[in-house]
Amino acid sequence: MAKAAKAQQTLTARALNRALLARQMLLERVDATPSAALERLAGMQAQIPADPYFGLWSRLSGFDPTSLATLIETRKAVRIGSMRGTIHLMTAADALAMRPLVQPVFDRVLFSNAESRPLKGRDLTGIIAAARAALEAKPLTWVELRRHLAGHWPDVPDVALLRAAQFSLPLVQVPPRGLWRKAGAARVTTIETWLKKRPQAMTLPKLVLRYLAGYGPASVLDAQAWSGLTKLAPVFEALRPKLAVFRDAAGRELFDLPDAPRPDEATPAPVRFLPVYDNATLGFANRDRILRPDIGAPRPLPLNGQVRAFLVDGFVAGFWKMAVEKDVATLTLEPFWPLTKKEIAALTAEGSALMKFAEPEAKPGDVRLGLAY
């Protein structure tokens, strides 16, 4: 008689939250280099150049922003379109290994984008080759690249030409873009030119294992939401004998590395401030582990989506914003629900430290509570 299948342990949203916080270095700050942290997180989404600095400040003990800037300046870390087709800050090694795997995401975006419709049915080989040659000669801004391509194909809308280059080539945004407290237009070149190496794709199973290490336990759909890739179920099935398998409260099957940390759900979690688009909040199809499932989704995001979240007891509890006026920094919190005096005190202490980090030349001002407070 065949053995009965082993019952799969059910993990609550709170248990998944504590596992996520441990993997994301949000349960306690860790003593690690920015390079090691970037690898542990499999990159950090980075449309807003300063936000990886905020993300690592909340994760690393004694974080010095110049140490991350130095990685970018010395080409040991790069800003590149990657997971979900979005800009990520990654180690050079991860960019070379992961970017080729997500090219199908960029292909899908290119051919579904309304701006790219004039390219339908056209052979893009010449356009991509011309863009590559121009960008490998010297880094260009998007405007400069558009003008260059338009000079060769005046019959095609320049924005369509730009999209062909953006979504077909692995392009790195070069410094000073992404350096701490420095501004600069995005200038891009190919990853091969910038790193003097050709991309060599890691395997899909290795990508899945990297995801689970930083975000597990997670489902197939979660991994697809994080990466932007589709049809990862066969990859998980091939890995199943090597993985631990659980269920969430809704019965969804979750996979994880057997020895990965899964702290007790009663483990205390400190307040933390996250940057815009942090993958801790975006890396899942089902986000109950970071958005409190007992109250549903928080209030709607602003139209541009550019909000920074803070965590209380491990869950997104509201938005924060910082402003400097007359050399005084102010941090405003907009909570989703009433906070206790203890939570407010913890947020005030953490927020004051955040202001000193973000605006060292300003005087740290008040931490204010908006909305109902």
Side-chain angles (χ1 to χ4, degrees):
M1 184 175 178
K3 286 186 177 180
K6 184 179 178 180
Q8 294 172 347
Q9 179 184 352
T10 297
L11 299 177
T12 65
R14 195 174 188 82
L16 292 171
N17 174 270
R18 292 323 193 241
L20 174 64
L21 297 182
R23 316 290 173 88
Q24 291 283 310
M25 298 168 281
L26 293 169
L27 203 53
E28 60 180 355
R29 285 184 169 90
V30 302
D31 184 12
T33 65
S35 180
L38 288 176
E39 289 193 348
R40 180 165 167 176
L41 298 170
M44 302 180 75
Q45 192 163 338
Q47 275 94 321
I48 299 176
D51 275 358
Y53 294 88
F54 289 113
L56 290 183
W57 178 83
S58 286
R59 290 170 162 92
L60 303 183
S61 57
F63 172 62
D64 179 358
T66 61
S67 62
L68 180 58
T70 299
L71 289 180
I72 299 171
E73 288 181 303
T74 58
R75 309 190 188 196
K76 294 177 182 177
V78 295
R79 293 169 49 80
I80 188 170
S82 185
M83 306 304 169
R84 302 183 297 280
T86 58
I87 297 296
H88 274 62
L89 179 62
M90 316 179 80
T91 64
D94 274 353
L96 289 164
M98 293 182 181
R99 176 58 179 81
L101 281 184
V102 295
Q103 183 57 44
V105 179
F106 289 86
D107 293 341
R108 187 170 68 241
V109 173
L110 173 62
F111 294 111
S112 64
N113 192 308
E115 294 174 331
S116 305
R117 285 175 186 164
L119 302 174
K120 188 174 182 180
R122 180 184 287 266
D123 183 358
L124 303 183
T125 305
I127 296 171
I128 295 168
R132 178 184 289 277
L135 293 168
E136 291 183 343
K138 66 175 183 178
L140 299 176
T141 67
W142 297 127
V143 171
E144 291 169 341
L145 181 58
R146 283 172 67 166
R147 289 173 179 168
H148 175 80
L149 295 174
H152 289 76
W153 287 273
D155 61 317
V156 181
D158 60 355
V159 69
L161 297 169
L162 179 65
R163 296 292 178 257
Q166 286 178 317
F167 296 133
S168 301
L169 294 171
L171 301 179
V172 170
Q173 294 187 359
V174 305
R177 188 75 167 176
L179 300 185
W180 180 240
R181 299 179 69 83
K182 291 186 180 180
R187 289 184 176 273
V188 298
T189 187
T190 63
I191 191 173
E192 297 95 333
T193 299
W194 189 246
L195 297 180
K196 310 301 182 188
K197 292 182 180 179
R198 294 183 62 82
Q200 295 290 332
M202 68 171 60
T203 64
L204 279 174
K206 186 172 181 179
L207 182 71
V208 166
L209 293 175
R210 288 287 301 278
Y211 171 68
L212 293 177
Y215 299 84
S219 70
V220 174
L221 291 180
D222 289 329
Q224 292 181 169
W226 168 75
S227 65
L229 295 169
T230 59
K231 302 178 181 179
L232 291 182
V235 180
F236 276 82
E237 283 304 316
L239 289 171
R240 183 184 288 271
K242 301 178 181 179
L243 299 176
V245 185
F246 304 93
R247 298 274 176 182
D248 67 8
R252 288 177 284 257
E253 193 171 48
L254 306 175
F255 299 86
D256 202 8
L257 306 182
D259 298 327
R262 290 180 288 275
D264 187 279
E265 65 178 53
T267 303
V271 299
R272 285 291 184 261
F273 290 89
L274 298 182
V276 179
Y277 309 125
D278 195 290
N279 279 337
T281 62
L282 295 179
F284 304 92
N286 181 282
R287 299 193 288 170
D288 283 359
R289 73 188 66 205
I290 194 74
L291 303 179
R292 274 178 50 180
D294 57 317
I295 64 166
R299 64 183 180 81
L301 301 176
L303 290 178
N304 64 7
Q306 292 189 7
V307 293
R308 296 181 167 103
F310 62 85
L311 306 182
V312 173
D313 190 30
F315 291 88
V316 172
F319 301 140
W320 65 272
K321 58 185 177 182
M322 192 181 304
V324 177
E325 187 173 348
K326 295 182 179 179
D327 296 326
V328 176
T330 301
L331 184 69
T332 301
L333 310 182
E334 297 186 1
F336 297 149
W337 54 77
L339 302 173
T340 67
K341 290 183 178 180
K342 184 177 180 180
E343 290 167 344
I344 292 172
L347 285 165
T348 299
E350 185 79 354
S352 297
L354 176 63
M355 284 190 284
K356 291 179 182 178
F357 167 77
E359 300 292 344
E361 297 174 0
K363 298 176 182 177
D366 296 331
V367 176
R368 300 173 180 171
L369 291 172
L371 298 182
Y373 286 83

